Amino acid sequence: MVSREQIAQAAALIRSGRVVAFPTETVYGLGANALDPTAIERIYEVKRRPKTSPLIVHVSSVNMARSLVTDWPDSADRLAKAFWPGPLTLVLQKNDRIPVELTAGLATVGLRMPAHPVALALIEESGLPIAAPSANRFTQLSPTTAQHVANGLGDAVDLILDGGPTEVGIESTVLSLTGSQPVLLRPGMVSREAIEALLGPILLLENAGDAHASPGLHSKHYSPRTPLYLLGPAEPLPKLGRGIHLYWSNPREAAESQVMPAEPEKYAATLYDTLHQADLRGYDWIAVEAPPATSVWAGILDRLVRASIR
Ligand code: AMP
Ligand code: MG
């Protein structure tokens, strides 16, 4: 799917300050040299992302992560051992190598080691940490295939590496380790439960006070173009127009419906592609049966809430 030559070409582009779309296990990323303010600027331009939303830096080792922060706490070490490479971003105190352009002016930086051979090979080959948000325009659906990237960004990126569909399917869990207690800034497929099994109780963003506000967590985000209604058990389907009902447990009378996986890992892996497809089919609405309100579904529920009409 992706050849050594393509990795070498992509790495050369990264080293010369260009942007490259590449697969990770979460979603496709729009990558650039994390140490180069001009390259970072390009990411914001291509995405039309507000400058207030910091980027996540992708590393290929714990050593590379340590080289970017002032302090690597024991909790980071334990989490990295348990969950890296994988869909967990750790927010830590940045050092001077990380430009403030990348962190929206914050003194902290989000770091993660992705579990995708192409992403890891690209970081290794370029010899640089790679800043990468999702490879889509701001507020639109994240891409989980190379085709989604091409549809959304077209000529705006210098190269798209096609590593097939992503396995996890939604963005990483983001955990801040900069305060006296860890704070879950964004839920994802590494669940609160799994983190607490390792670290003991952690705080949720809503209980952590203002000091931990995570810029870039916009209430509307990750949205399909088609209006999406997230429905509780008693809420009716929209009456007007032609739509599709996505359910995992309770089918309804609907002209069109699609059953979603009842396991969170499988549900997350297909969610964005299902929404991309629904957009392409030109429905007037997408109705989604709300998933369970448990910790293992929290990342999925968070994305659906942000995607929905409220
Ligand atoms: P993404 O859009 O998936 O690349 O994820 C980036 C998001 O991670 C940002 O919009 C923030 O919500 C969060 N994030 C990244 N870096 C930091 C940071 N230094 N402090 C707090 N949140 C961060
Ligand atoms: Mg994104």
Side-chain angles (χ1 to χ4, degrees):
M1 291 210 266
V2 177
S3 65
R4 288 287 346 156
E5 290 71 33
Q6 284 174 305
I7 300 273
Q9 186 196 356
L13 285 168
I14 297 279
R15 280 195 301 270
S16 66
R18 313 294 308 183
V19 295
V20 169
F22 66 98
T24 79
E25 82 280 32
T26 59
V27 301
Y28 272 69
L30 186 63
N33 178 357
L35 309 181
D36 175 355
T38 315
I40 291 164
E41 197 82 11
R42 279 217 171 88
I43 292 180
Y44 283 95
E45 271 166 30
V46 171
K47 275 191 70 85
R48 301 183 192 142
R49 179 174 172 118
K51 293 281 173 60
T52 49
S53 186
L55 305 180
I56 289 171
V57 176
H58 295 71
V59 298
S60 58
S61 67
V62 166
N63 275 344
M64 190 184 271
R66 295 180 79 134
S67 77
L68 302 171
V69 296
T70 57
D71 181 37
W72 178 257
D74 181 53
S75 55
D77 218 49
R78 287 162 61 201
L79 290 163
K81 282 205 175 83
F83 299 112
W84 282 8
L88 175 65
T89 297
L90 302 178
V91 173
L92 295 160
Q93 295 295 336
K94 76 172 198 69
N95 68 20
D96 291 345
R97 296 184 69 209
I98 296 287
V100 287
E101 286 82 356
L102 182 141
T103 65
L106 299 173
T108 58
V109 63
L111 301 174
R112 102 178 174 92
M113 178 173 171
H116 195 293
V118 171
L120 291 172
L122 180 60
I123 300 164
E124 291 275 286
E125 181 82 15
S126 60
L128 291 165
I130 296 183
S134 53
N136 57 291
R137 303 254 195 236
F138 180 62
T139 77
Q140 294 185 354
L141 270 182
S142 291
T144 57
T145 66
Q147 190 61 50
H148 296 159
V149 180
N151 293 349
L153 296 181
D155 294 340
V157 312
D158 295 316
L159 178 69
I160 303 173
L161 295 176
D162 184 353
T166 64
E167 271 180 17
V168 173
I170 65 170
E171 300 78 1
S172 61
T173 304
V174 181
L175 184 73
S176 170
L177 297 176
T178 59
S180 54
Q181 228 185 322
V183 181
L184 186 67
L185 299 180
R186 176 173 74 183
M189 297 311 287
V190 171
S191 69
R192 175 187 184 178
E193 241 167 54
I195 295 168
E196 290 190 328
L198 205 71
L199 297 188
I202 64 173
L203 293 174
L204 299 184
L205 184 54
E206 50 270 34
N207 305 326
D210 288 348
H212 281 283
S214 185
L217 291 177
H218 303 269
S219 70
K220 182 160 177 65
H221 207 151
Y222 317 106
S223 303
R225 287 190 305 276
T226 316
L228 185 150
Y229 298 88
L230 184 59
L231 299 183
E235 289 174 280
L237 295 176
K239 291 204 171 48
L240 294 176
R242 173 176 159 260
I244 185 165
H245 180 225
L246 307 179
Y247 67 96
W248 62 274
S249 157
N250 293 307
R252 309 252 194 118
E253 282 295 324
E256 290 177 61
S257 63
Q258 183 174 327
V259 63
M260 298 292 288
E263 290 149 62
E265 286 74 20
K266 291 191 179 144
Y267 190 110
T270 60
L271 175 61
Y272 287 157
D273 187 56
T274 304
L275 298 179
H276 277 286
Q277 300 296 339
D279 261 351
L280 290 174
R281 284 192 230 130
Y283 294 112
D284 299 305
W285 48 264
I286 303 168
V288 182
E289 178 187 8
T294 57
S295 141
V296 288
W297 286 88
I300 295 165
L301 181 59
D302 171 78
R303 302 313 183 275
L304 285 171
V305 168
R306 289 179 207 276
S308 67
I309 303 262
R310 278 158 291 152

